[in-house]
Amino acid sequence: MMQYLVMLATAGIWGVVGYRIYTAYHASDPRPDNEDHFIVSADSTSLPDTFSIMANYRDPFLDKMQAEKPPLKTNPVKTTTPLPVVKKTELTWPPITYEGMIRNEQSKKLLAIVHINGQGMMLKPGEAFSEIILSKVFKDSIELVMGKEKKIVRK
């Protein structure tokens, strides 16, 4: 008998929840009728403001009255000749591919297998080939320096 009462109460609660969800999604007009008088038409005339704000009260954080600041004096602008534009010369990197690295087990030194301009070679960090210096060797990439430019080449 108690099971039937619990099932009836559960069905009633779910019925109320379902009704509230249904009425929330199927409401005809969500805006109340008494808010229509707040809509302003585009052709209404606007009145100019007839008040001004006087902000000469004390600062509550500094306990001081704000004094009017004197206007800043501006210096006349001096005309100078424009600085010459220095054109940055772009370095042209040759085609470079990184094939992998070899580690010496005893001395723990690294060698990178690199192809520069189609020529294969093994370089240690710090070694150079035609203005290109190998600075760092990683498992998946190497860092090269040419002039002041750095470039990272991945496998």
Side-chain angles (χ1 to χ4, degrees):
M1 180 71 178
M2 188 64 133
Q3 292 175 345
Y4 294 116
L5 289 175
V6 170
M7 288 190 329
L8 184 63
T10 304
I13 290 172
W14 279 109
V16 170
V17 169
Y19 175 75
R20 288 191 179 184
I21 291 173
Y22 177 79
T23 56
Y25 283 116
H26 293 63
S28 61
D29 188 14
R31 189 180 62 184
D33 291 336
N34 60 358
E35 290 186 12
D36 288 340
H37 64 278
F38 289 112
I39 298 174
V40 179
S41 64
D43 62 340
S44 65
T45 60
S46 62
L47 299 174
D49 288 336
T50 58
F51 64 92
S52 62
I53 297 175
M54 301 297 288
N56 58 356
Y57 47 87
R58 73 174 183 84
D59 187 350
F61 300 105
L62 297 177
D63 287 332
K64 296 179 183 177
M65 290 290 289
Q66 287 185 356
E68 289 188 26
K69 295 177 183 174
L72 296 174
K73 294 181 181 178
T74 59
N75 294 333
V77 178
K78 296 178 182 178
T79 57
T80 60
T81 58
L83 296 173
V85 177
V86 178
K87 291 187 179 179
K88 197 175 192 181
T89 58
E90 290 190 26
L91 298 174
T92 305
W93 287 81
I96 301 170
T97 56
Y98 173 52
E99 300 297 326
M101 67 176 226
I102 300 172
R103 180 186 306 249
N104 188 339
E105 292 296 325
Q106 294 169 350
S107 64
K108 303 293 183 191
K109 292 186 179 181
L110 298 174
L111 284 175
I113 303 170
V114 183
H115 289 273
I116 300 175
N117 263 345
Q119 186 177 358
M121 65 198 70
M122 288 193 245
L123 297 173
K124 292 187 276 185
E127 283 188 332
F129 176 78
S130 71
E131 300 178 4
I132 299 173
I133 301 170
L134 177 67
S135 67
K136 294 179 184 174
V137 178
F138 303 103
K139 289 181 181 179
D140 64 338
S141 61
I142 55 174
E143 183 179 88
L144 303 167
V145 178
M146 186 165 96
K148 293 184 180 179
E149 241 180 79
K150 288 185 180 181
K151 182 176 183 179
I152 294 179
V153 178
R154 300 201 184 276
K155 277 189 181 178

